[in-house]
Every structure is written in structure tokens, then in C-alpha cells.
Amino acid sequence: MRLLKTVLDFYIKSSLHVAICFVALLYVFHCYSFVKLSEDFALLGFCFVVIGYNFIKYATLVYENRDFKYKIEIFIITVISALVGAYLLLFESLQAYIVLLISGLLSLFYVIPFYHKKSLRLMSIIKVITVVVVWWLVIMVLPVYSVYSEVVNLNVDGLNSIEQINWTPYIIKSVELFLFVFSLLIPFEIRDLKYDDPSLKTIPQLVGTRKTKYLGIVLLLCAFLLHHFYFMQYEFPYYFIPLLIYVITAIAIWFSDKFKADYYVSFFVEAIPVFWLALYWMT
């Protein structure tokens, strides 16, 4: 039992749970395009999240030469992810480099103060929006150049594959992802009430826990309405599974509060995208 607790604790602190959640969302939000995402691209996304999350969480501690749990193990995982990610980047396009550079800079300024001695992490609602934008860039924008551009070689007319993408569902899924990730962060914002300084003015601090929950549920409703109006003609799994997932997410938001343990968000909330992907694989 003690070994299991240690493994779970390391799983949370090493960012592996966040990276797995990210990869699950990556696959889920591209199932409608019917273009198979390569394992290499998914691995690149996994590495990017491990590096970014560990940098955000531990860079300050390392800079201040402070000790923290699993320091050596986390350092090893981060270095391995950096090496694997650097190798995979050798096969990416210039456009992909630009997208990753923007995402990397946002992650950097999330930690490093740059405006009135404040980082993005200390800028109220901008903090959440920054996280959502980074995930949106890597999940929805990066594949356009890293995955879909490969279709150009199969095009007998010689047209650019980017122009042949059905942009209407792609844009709808992009907005849906933005709203869903934002709502998925609500339980984390509520949990962090017990850690955050009142001067941060996070969403729960500004409007209260209950109104923050309402906000998350409204965002979920907007996301599903987008899904409904365009994808209602799709087969069973592509329409009703998102409905089930949004209901589960709404329940997770409603029952989240500042007294919940970290395991609640790390295993239940972050497991929702994994469960979503598992449902698609089983149908």
C-alpha cells in the first residue's frame, strides 16, 4: 500500500498525469478529421507538456536552489523528454517551429516576471487563458502543419492540403476545445484557493466558488451547443459520447471545492479526457 501511494505521488508530481491528459485530448479532438495522428506527433506533444509543466512548477525552486520531492527523478524525466522532443523536432516544418516557439514563450513568461515584476501566472484571469491558449495551439494549430500537411503528397491536383481541410468542423472543434479546456481548469482554480495569495485575484477569488462553478458549466454548455449544431448528423459515438463527457465534467466542476485533495483533480478531473478517448476506442 505504501509503495502504491509513493508511485501515485510521483505520478502527480512528475507531470506524467498532465501529459497523458493532453495526449488523450489531442486524439479526441482529431477523431472527426479522420486523419490518423502519428505516434511520433503524440509523443512530441507528450514531451512538450512534460518539459513545460516541470519548468513551470520547478524552475523557481531550482533557481533558488531549494530541494523538493523526487528532484532527481523529475530532472531525469525532463531531460529524457527534452532529448526525445529535440529529435522529433528534426522532422517538423518551419511552421511547427513557430507554433512551438510561441507556446514555449507563453510558458516561459508564465513563470518569469516581465511586466511590472509580474509573470502571466500572477495576472488574474490571464493566467487561465494562457494555459488554455498553449494547449489550444499545440492540439489544434500545430497538427495543421505537422500532420495534415502530409496529405498534400496524396493530392493529384497539386493543391495545398491546408486549403483542402474542411475548415468549418475544424474551427468549430477548435472553439469547442478552447471552451472545454477552460472549463476543465475550473476545479484546479477552486482547489488552489487554499494555496493562492488573495492578491492574485483568481476567478474564484473575484466572483466566489459558486459563480466560478456556474461559469465552468456555462462554458461546457456552449461547447456542447457548438458540437450539437454541426455534428448531430454523425454516428452514435461521435455525437453522444461528448454529451456524456460534458455531463461528467459538469459534475466534476460542481463537486469541486477548496477542501478536495490534489488526488481529486489529478485522478478524476484529468482522467476525463482519458475516459473520453477510451470510449471512442471501444466503439
Side-chain angles (χ1 to χ4, degrees):
M1 191 67 178
R2 187 174 180 180
L3 176 61
L4 177 60
K5 186 177 180 180
T6 301
V7 171
L8 294 178
D9 190 41
F10 174 71
Y11 175 73
I12 291 176
K13 289 183 168 58
S14 64
S15 78
L16 295 177
H17 60 300
V18 182
I20 291 174
C21 172
F22 175 88
V23 172
L25 273 179
L26 176 68
Y27 277 112
V28 162
F29 273 83
H30 288 281
C31 70
Y32 298 93
S33 62
F34 305 106
V35 175
K36 185 179 183 299
L37 294 178
S38 68
E39 289 76 10
D40 288 346
F41 182 80
L43 181 58
L44 176 62
F46 182 92
C47 293
F48 180 84
V49 174
V50 170
I51 297 167
Y53 184 88
N54 285 342
F55 174 78
I56 288 170
K57 192 169 184 180
Y58 299 111
T60 302
L61 298 178
V62 173
Y63 178 76
E64 296 174 353
N65 200 25
R66 292 162 57 187
D67 198 19
F68 53 89
K69 205 171 184 180
Y70 309 116
K71 184 176 183 178
I72 301 300
E73 293 85 348
I74 291 171
F75 176 77
I76 292 173
I77 288 177
T78 306
V79 170
I80 292 175
S81 298
L83 293 174
V84 174
Y87 172 76
L88 294 173
L89 278 175
L90 295 175
F91 307 98
E92 292 296 335
S93 63
L94 175 61
Q95 294 92 336
Y97 291 150
I98 294 173
V99 173
L100 288 175
L101 177 62
I102 295 172
S103 302
L105 288 174
L106 287 173
S107 301
L108 183 67
F109 290 128
Y110 189 84
V111 177
I112 298 177
F114 70 99
Y115 180 75
H116 293 305
K117 297 183 179 180
K118 278 189 175 183
S119 63
L120 293 172
R121 195 177 197 171
L122 303 178
M123 294 185 180
S124 189
I125 300 176
I126 296 178
K127 163 192 172 184
V128 181
I129 294 177
T130 300
V131 176
V132 177
V133 168
V134 170
W135 280 49
W136 176 79
L137 283 171
V138 181
I139 291 178
M140 297 306 297
V141 179
L142 185 60
V144 172
Y145 299 103
S146 297
V147 178
Y148 293 88
S149 59
E150 295 179 3
V151 182
V152 71
N153 297 321
L154 304 177
N155 180 9
V156 295
D157 297 326
L159 297 176
N160 192 315
S161 64
I162 303 297
E163 297 172 355
Q164 293 192 11
I165 295 176
N166 190 344
W167 282 106
T168 301
Y170 201 90
I171 293 173
I172 289 175
K173 296 307 292 182
S174 295
V175 177
E176 185 184 344
L177 172 72
F178 190 94
L179 296 173
F180 178 75
V181 174
F182 199 118
S183 65
L184 204 63
L185 291 175
I186 294 298
F188 294 88
E189 289 289 288
I190 295 174
R191 178 204 63 184
D192 289 345
L193 273 173
K194 57 185 178 182
Y195 305 118
D196 290 337
D197 188 281
S199 63
L200 290 180
K201 292 183 172 59
T202 61
I203 298 175
Q205 290 173 342
L206 288 172
V207 302
T209 300
R210 183 172 291 271
K211 289 183 179 179
T212 303
K213 292 178 181 181
Y214 289 149
L215 172 64
I217 293 173
V218 168
L219 292 175
L220 281 176
L221 179 60
C222 293
F224 181 74
L225 287 176
L226 284 173
H227 175 83
H228 168 76
F229 287 126
Y230 192 86
F231 296 96
M232 60 185 300
Q233 77 276 15
Y234 275 59
E235 297 177 357
F236 170 80
Y238 296 106
Y239 179 77
F240 286 99
I241 288 178
L243 173 59
L244 173 63
I245 293 300
Y246 287 152
V247 170
I248 293 174
T249 306
I251 293 172
I253 292 172
W254 188 253
F255 286 99
S256 62
D257 57 68
K258 63 181 179 181
F259 302 107
K260 296 293 183 189
D262 290 350
Y263 289 109
Y264 176 79
V265 290
S266 297
F267 286 102
F268 182 65
V269 178
E270 290 181 350
I272 291 175
V274 179
F275 178 60
W276 192 348
L277 180 61
L279 288 177
Y280 278 140
W281 280 350
M282 291 187 297
T283 54

